[in-house]
Amino acid sequence: MKKFYLFLLAPAMALFACNRNVYVPNQINVPLLKEKGEVKASVSLSDWQAAYAVTDNFAIMANGQYISRLLTVDGDGVDDDPIVDPNTRGGLIELGAGYTKALGVSKKAVFEVYGGYGYGGFRTLQESYLYKPDSVRGYDDYRLRTKFHKFFIQPSFGLSHKVVEVAVSTRFSLVNFNSVSSGSLTWDGDPNMRMDFQRLDGKLVGFMEPAATVRVGFKNIKWFWQLRASVPLRSDGVEAGPTLNNYFQPFSFNTGISVNFGNWLKD
């Protein structure tokens, strides 16, 4: 079974084995608010979110993300996860507002669209750090850093029931990277790799980030799962540095607790 699993993942591993993630898409806030005064919040290991319905059709949201992964060195001397960079640290803060509408007589279906702004940054270690003896390792010498401003719009459609909520979303993000830096020993002095990474500085990159969200539980508290992808929308051509995509995490997954405070207060 393990060999079959690795066979299926082989194409992805070939694409992403060298990923150093300096942009990790945060969890998409999909509150599915139906009426004025409703408040929903969620928390997972890396993300926390809240949304409030100011009116039946207008809502505001706030989102936070913080990732702090432990350095992972396996028996072969290096972590080989094809998707997740185990050395990534950082996150962002977002604020947004938007339109929400409960549909149908029963109001179990909800359409919503939010837009907003976020600011954040990430840092990681270039892979060659893991191959160096302890005596010559220095975190700052192998560090990759970015900061960014982010603008997003996210339409969603979902079905909301007391026990189960299901939603599909697509977030479109424009991320403007800045303050890009790399340590003096990254890539062992390879100038081409260094120049490729530095192309991120000042670059505006678009992302399409589809997601599926499921919440299951009770009226006021549910357990949730969200799986999402992040696809860079770049039109700058091969000559502009195709391996820039290696610095963006392509898939993310969150699970945690979601609470509907508005319903709780009404009961």
Side-chain angles (χ1 to χ4, degrees), residues 177-240:
F177 292 95
N178 61 82
S179 301
V180 173
S181 65
S182 55
S184 60
L185 299 181
T186 50
W187 304 291
D188 287 330
D190 186 325
N192 293 325
M193 292 294 291
R194 185 181 300 278
M195 288 175 61
D196 180 62
F197 177 68
Q198 288 299 139
R199 288 189 180 98
L200 273 176
D201 204 5
K203 182 171 286 296
L204 186 66
V205 181
F207 294 88
M208 181 176 69
E209 299 169 338
T213 305
V214 177
R215 294 190 279 258
V216 179
F218 304 96
K219 181 179 180 181
N220 297 326
I221 186 168
K222 294 179 175 66
W223 194 265
F224 78 86
W225 299 263
Q226 184 180 100
L227 177 65
R228 59 195 173 277
S230 183
V231 182
L233 304 176
R234 297 175 56 217
S235 60
D236 45 13
V238 173
E239 70 282 357

Side-chain angles (χ1 to χ4, degrees), residues 250-262:
F251 298 99
S252 301
F253 175 77
N254 286 77
T255 184
I257 295 174
S258 174
V259 180
N260 189 332
F261 289 103

Side-chain angles (χ1 to χ4, degrees), residues 122-136:
F122 289 96
R123 65 185 188 276
T124 186
L125 294 174
Q126 202 277 330
E127 190 176 18
S128 61
Y129 169 86
L130 299 173
Y131 297 97
K132 302 297 181 181
D134 292 343
S135 60
V136 299

Side-chain angles (χ1 to χ4, degrees), residues 8-234:
L8 291 177
L9 278 182
M13 293 175 71
L15 286 172
F16 303 125
C18 295
N19 268 21
R20 299 292 93 188
N21 300 149
V22 292
Y23 175 70
V24 180
N26 62 315
Q27 180 181 316
I28 298 178
N29 193 346
V30 190
L32 301 180
L33 301 175
K34 297 181 179 181
E35 58 187 4
K36 178 180 178 179
E38 197 170 2
V39 184
K40 285 189 177 180
S42 68
V43 61
S44 69
L45 290 178
S46 61
D47 290 73
W48 52 97
Q49 303 181 326
Y52 169 66
V54 180
T55 71
D56 287 348
N57 300 119
F58 176 74
I60 57 177
M61 65 164 56
N63 309 316
Q65 175 198 41
Y66 183 71
I67 294 172
S68 180
R69 297 170 179 159
L70 296 176
L71 180 67
T72 303
V73 181
D74 64 16
D76 296 327
V78 61
D79 182 276
D80 59 359
D81 191 304
I83 303 297
V84 176
D85 174 7
N87 308 306
T88 297
R89 309 283 192 278
L92 59 79
I93 296 292
E94 288 180 341
L95 296 175
Y99 174 82
T100 181
K101 175 69 174 179
L103 306 173
V105 177
S106 64
K107 295 188 176 182
K108 286 185 169 59
V110 180
F111 170 77
E112 60 185 25
V113 57
Y114 290 90
Y117 164 80
Y119 178 78
F122 289 96
R123 65 185 188 276
T124 186
L125 294 174
Q126 202 277 330
E127 190 176 18
S128 61
Y129 169 86
L130 299 173
Y131 297 97
K132 302 297 181 181
D134 292 343
S135 60
V136 299
R137 285 184 180 180
Y139 281 115
D140 288 338
D141 291 333
Y142 294 90
R143 187 89 70 189
L144 306 179
R145 299 176 185 268
T146 63
K147 294 182 180 179
F148 56 84
H149 299 276
K150 174 182 175 182
F151 304 89
F152 67 91
I153 184 168
Q154 56 179 64
S156 302
F157 178 79
L159 299 175
S160 179
H161 185 268
K162 291 181 180 179
V163 177
V164 179
E165 294 181 340
V166 180
V168 291
S169 314
T170 301
R171 180 173 61 195
F172 297 92
S173 301
L174 282 176
V175 182
N176 182 218
F177 292 95
N178 61 82
S179 301
V180 173
S181 65
S182 55
S184 60
L185 299 181
T186 50
W187 304 291
D188 287 330
D190 186 325
N192 293 325
M193 292 294 291
R194 185 181 300 278
M195 288 175 61
D196 180 62
F197 177 68
Q198 288 299 139
R199 288 189 180 98
L200 273 176
D201 204 5
K203 182 171 286 296
L204 186 66
V205 181
F207 294 88
M208 181 176 69
E209 299 169 338
T213 305
V214 177
R215 294 190 279 258
V216 179
F218 304 96
K219 181 179 180 181
N220 297 326
I221 186 168
K222 294 179 175 66
W223 194 265
F224 78 86
W225 299 263
Q226 184 180 100
L227 177 65
R228 59 195 173 277
S230 183
V231 182
L233 304 176
R234 297 175 56 217

